[in-house]
Amino acid sequence: MAVVEKSTDVRLAYTASNSAPDGNSFRLNGTMLATLKKRLEAYVPDYQEKIATSSRRTVDWNLCSDGRLSEADLLGIYLDATELPTMDEELLSEPEIQPNIPLEYLNSNCCLISQPEEGKTEIFVCDPYSIEQQAYLFSRIHNCTTTFFLVRRSTIERILSQLSTSGLNSEIKSDEDEETLRSLAGEAKIVRLVNEMFSRATEQRASDIHIEPEEKNLQIRFRIDGILHNYISCPLSQAPAIASRIKLLSGLNIAENRLPQDGRTNIRLGGQEIDLRTSTIPTILGESIVLRILRKEALSFDLKVIGMDADTEQDFEQMIKAPHGIILVVGPTGSGKTTTLYSVMNQLNDHQRKIITIEDPVEYKFTGMSQMQVNPKIGLTFADGLRHIVRQDPDIILVGEIRDNETAAIAINAALTGHLVFSTLHTNDAAGAISRLVDMGVENFLLASALHGVLSQRLVRTICQTCNGSGVNMNVTGNKCRKCSGTGFFGRTGIFELLNVNENIRQAIMRNASSTEIAELAVTNGMIPLNDAGQRKVDQGMTTTTEIVKSTIDI
């Protein structure tokens, strides 16, 4: 295993050689302990008092359990204090464990010990406090040179769980009672595993966590920049405990696994507040769970940073200054429509106008706006909520989505009676939104009078600037770029086409022109089609032709 440069990665390494007088050349000395104490007192002011009545290991781990510190942050502190080098994390994917070391020993010491080769063995621990003891044991008793790696505790526990369940029947039991499920959900190892899953997802900028039961494993994947990536596989026997833990956090019925459920929760990780939206559905192999991660501080609700060309941005900002009318943002699911609309609301929210929104669900909360969430269970639909909103004397109305004729009719009527209305539609391009509304039953003359403009958009991945899209960084073991995890992409940007409804477009709507004809008129009037907007991003070196083709293939 190759040693790499020191960084704040999740693994530390140290080699204890038999050449040392006592078989152990590592000393967790007073300077190191003082550094640890100073760094950790920032999170626990009474750290000295706590370690006087409990072990340092326990006090440190409690910081992670309480959400005040992530495991990655804790390992970074250990790294700074001990100046130990790091190793590539993927090297511990499937270690070959010594067969003569009982699992009880590994569990009680929270460590993994590899099979010795040529008098050398590797030991994986989760804190620096036990290195001296382990080095002495293996250098003197087993006559081995020991190489130590400091790994996240949740990683070791997950591998030990896989070892303990290998070869056993690990099918999910669906008849567990609620008391048993609550007990499983409260197990310390499960709590740490779920917390670490949230922490890793946040570190890797994931927008969603997918937990999916398979034939033999529970697969956990992260959606990063719109693409799913494997995170870990857990023993299938842990599925009820993991699902129950997530349900408890989300306020769901943990005993119900036959019907879909939706929930929401706020958690604290490393001092950061994370909002999670949970969805569960039953499958033939067990419950599939998807968690949407909402981080307001991670998003910039600013039209200037979502990726618009200067000309499009200028035209759109002029459009949203209209005193009344309806403006639509269209595109498929996951194309960034909500972010664009929130950016518009953020810009228009000057406390001089009353803004009311109706959404499904309310993803981010803003001050200075009245936000309503639909609730079909009690009859609060978009149409019903919008009908009452217009009686609240609003200046600006945001309708999360126009899904039916009734909602469309009320929104159009609101736009015609002096309100500025924003909403979304699921159409492939800007001109297609006009045909969709006509198909819903909106009268052509009403649509021509009310519609002010349509913005169509997509999200494309941007090239990683650290490795210039190669996915390779020679400073990282295995040549994988650490910033983009070897994908060659980091982050996403938008591509847009803006259809400005002028007199020519209105006449075309009145005569029920096709979306193709309307699109041609819009291009004549200066609209930049999505494909051309995407090619501009390619020419600027921001993304690739393949990304543009993938995002616009439905046009």
Side-chain angles (χ1 to χ4, degrees):
M1 295 185 180
V3 177
V4 299
E5 297 177 359
K6 187 178 73 171
S7 74
T8 55
D9 194 41
V10 295
R11 179 168 303 173
L12 315 177
Y14 175 75
T15 300
S17 171
N18 282 332
S19 60
D22 60 350
N24 181 6
S25 59
F26 177 77
R27 285 287 183 271
L28 190 59
N29 57 40
T31 301
M32 295 178 184
L33 291 173
T35 301
L36 286 172
K37 175 178 174 291
K38 181 178 180 181
R39 291 288 305 276
L40 292 170
E41 278 181 338
Y43 301 92
V44 183
D46 57 345
Y47 187 77
Q48 182 64 42
E49 289 75 11
K50 287 186 178 295
I51 61 176
T53 57
S54 183
S55 68
R56 287 179 176 266
R57 173 187 297 178
T58 300
V59 175
D60 294 358
W61 286 348
N62 283 342
L63 287 173
C64 298
S65 300
D66 296 341
R68 284 178 283 181
L69 198 64
S70 70
E71 288 195 52
D73 292 335
L74 181 60
L75 284 175
I77 291 173
Y78 288 159
L79 174 64
D80 290 341
T82 60
E83 296 187 352
L84 295 171
T86 68
M87 297 286 290
D88 193 301
E89 185 184 45
E90 294 182 359
L91 297 176
L92 190 61
S93 55
E94 294 182 0
E96 294 184 2
I97 305 302
Q98 271 201 50
N100 61 337
I101 303 294
L103 276 173
E104 291 79 4
Y105 176 86
L106 300 178
N107 278 304
S108 62
N109 289 277
C110 197
C111 67
L112 299 168
I113 304 171
S114 68
Q115 294 190 45
E117 294 183 6
E118 300 180 354
K120 299 178 181 180
T121 191
E122 295 173 338
I123 303 178
F124 303 88
V125 296
C126 49
D127 62 67
Y129 304 123
S130 62
I131 289 180
E132 290 186 55
Q133 175 187 349
Q134 295 276 18
Y136 180 86
L137 176 68
F138 279 86
S139 63
R140 288 297 178 89
I141 299 178
H142 295 279
N143 196 30
C144 288
T145 297
T146 51
T147 302
F148 283 87
F149 301 87
L150 186 55
V151 186
R152 301 187 196 221
R153 183 183 185 185
S154 57
T155 300
I156 294 178
E157 291 179 337
R158 173 172 52 81
I159 293 174
L160 289 175
S161 294
Q162 291 173 326
L163 293 172
S164 64
T165 58
S166 60
L168 301 176
N169 183 0
S170 59
E171 293 183 356
I172 298 177
K173 297 179 181 180
S174 59
D175 57 350
E176 301 281 12
D177 58 38
E178 183 172 347
E179 184 178 349
T180 301
L181 291 172
R182 287 185 180 275
S183 176
L184 290 173
E187 290 181 358
K189 290 183 179 180
I190 296 299
V191 171
R192 283 192 291 270
L193 189 152
V194 172
N195 285 350
E196 181 62 8
M197 177 183 69
F198 293 154
S199 180
R200 292 286 187 98
T202 303
E203 291 170 19
Q204 297 182 30
R205 305 174 296 106
S207 60
D208 303 87
I209 302 172
H210 291 246
I211 304 170
E212 303 155 329
E214 298 179 346
E215 289 287 346
K216 297 181 180 180
N217 298 300
L218 184 70
Q219 185 67 42
I220 301 178
R221 301 189 289 173
F222 296 159
R223 187 177 295 280
I224 304 170
D225 295 334
I227 306 296
L228 282 172
H229 299 268
N230 287 337
Y231 166 48
I232 56 171
S233 292
C234 296
L236 198 58
S237 58
Q238 289 186 338
I242 293 173
S244 297
R245 177 63 184 169
I246 293 172
K247 287 179 180 180
L248 279 177
L249 290 173
S250 305
L252 303 179
N253 183 355
I254 64 173
E256 179 57 75
N257 56 20
R258 300 164 299 173
L259 295 173
Q261 296 189 73
D262 294 306
R264 191 168 185 167
T265 187
N266 291 300
I267 61 172
R268 184 176 178 84
L269 288 174
Q272 182 182 13
E273 292 291 336
I274 304 296
D275 192 5
L276 296 173
R277 199 173 74 207
T278 307
S279 172
T280 74
I281 62 169
T283 72
I284 59 173
L285 296 175
E287 281 188 288
S288 173
I289 302 174
V290 175
L291 299 109
R292 170 66 57 87
I293 302 173
L294 303 173
R295 299 184 297 269
K296 186 173 182 178
E297 68 282 355
L299 293 174
S300 178
F301 294 118
D302 187 345
L303 289 175
K304 297 186 180 302
V305 300
I306 61 176
M308 285 187 182
D309 292 332
D311 293 342
T312 303
E313 179 190 337
Q314 183 178 353
D315 292 343
F316 188 60
E317 288 195 340
Q318 187 63 36
M319 182 182 295
I320 65 177
K321 292 178 182 178
H324 54 79
I326 184 168
I327 298 172
L328 300 173
V329 179
V330 304
T333 301
S335 59
K337 299 187 297 296
T338 298
T339 299
T340 297
L341 285 177
Y342 278 158
S343 298
V344 172
M345 294 301 106
N346 195 38
Q347 182 164 321
L348 298 179
N349 186 15
D350 57 7
H351 301 286
Q352 295 180 355
R353 291 171 287 193
K354 184 175 181 67
I355 300 176
I356 305 181
T357 77
I358 179 166
E359 307 169 57
D360 183 22
V362 174
E363 294 194 0
Y364 295 97
K365 299 175 183 177
F366 291 85
T367 58
M369 296 193 306
S370 299
Q371 295 174 270
M372 181 191 305
Q373 182 162 308
V374 301
N375 189 347
K377 294 180 180 179
I378 61 173
L380 181 56
T381 62
F382 276 115
D384 188 61
L386 183 55
R387 186 179 295 109
H388 291 279
I389 284 175
V390 295
R391 301 171 187 166
Q392 290 278 310
D393 188 31
D395 296 291
I396 299 171
I397 301 172
L398 169 61
V399 183
E401 183 183 350
I402 295 178
R403 298 176 179 174
D404 51 53
N405 170 266
E406 188 177 10
T407 305
I410 301 172
I412 293 294
N413 184 67
L416 290 171
T417 54
H419 304 91
L420 183 57
V421 180
F422 293 88
S423 191
T424 70
L425 276 176
H426 289 283
T427 62
N428 293 333
D429 58 8
I434 296 172
S435 300
R436 177 66 57 84
L437 288 172
V438 172
D439 291 341
M440 285 184 178
V442 177
E443 295 287 350
N444 295 71
F445 72 93
L446 293 177
L447 182 57
S449 300
L451 186 61
H452 200 55
V454 184
L455 181 73
S456 178
Q457 67 179 77
R458 298 289 191 279
L459 288 176
V460 295
R461 293 187 294 173
T462 53
I463 294 171
C464 175
Q465 298 303 305
T466 300
C467 64
N468 295 319
S470 67
V472 174
N473 184 335
M474 298 305 291
N475 293 323
V476 179
T477 300
N479 295 337
K480 180 182 289 188
C481 175
R482 188 179 303 278
K483 183 175 181 180
C484 67
S485 300
T487 64
F489 296 94
F490 184 87
R492 291 190 289 177
T493 188
I495 57 174
F496 304 86
E497 67 176 19
L498 179 62
L499 189 157
N500 195 338
V501 179
N502 59 13
E503 188 58 34
N504 291 335
I505 300 295
R506 289 192 177 89
Q507 292 297 326
I509 296 174
M510 289 287 288
R511 67 173 184 269
N512 202 27
S514 67
S515 59
T516 301
E517 182 180 349
I518 292 174
E520 291 173 352
L521 278 173
V523 171
T524 302
N525 294 331
M527 183 182 80
I528 302 171
L530 275 175
N531 286 307
D532 292 351
Q535 186 58 48
R536 289 187 178 187
K537 300 285 188 183
V538 175
D539 295 341
Q540 294 166 4
M542 297 181 64
T543 189
T544 66
T545 301
T546 301
E547 281 295 302
I548 301 302
V549 172
K550 283 167 54 179
S551 65
T552 60
I553 196 170
D554 55 350
I555 299 176

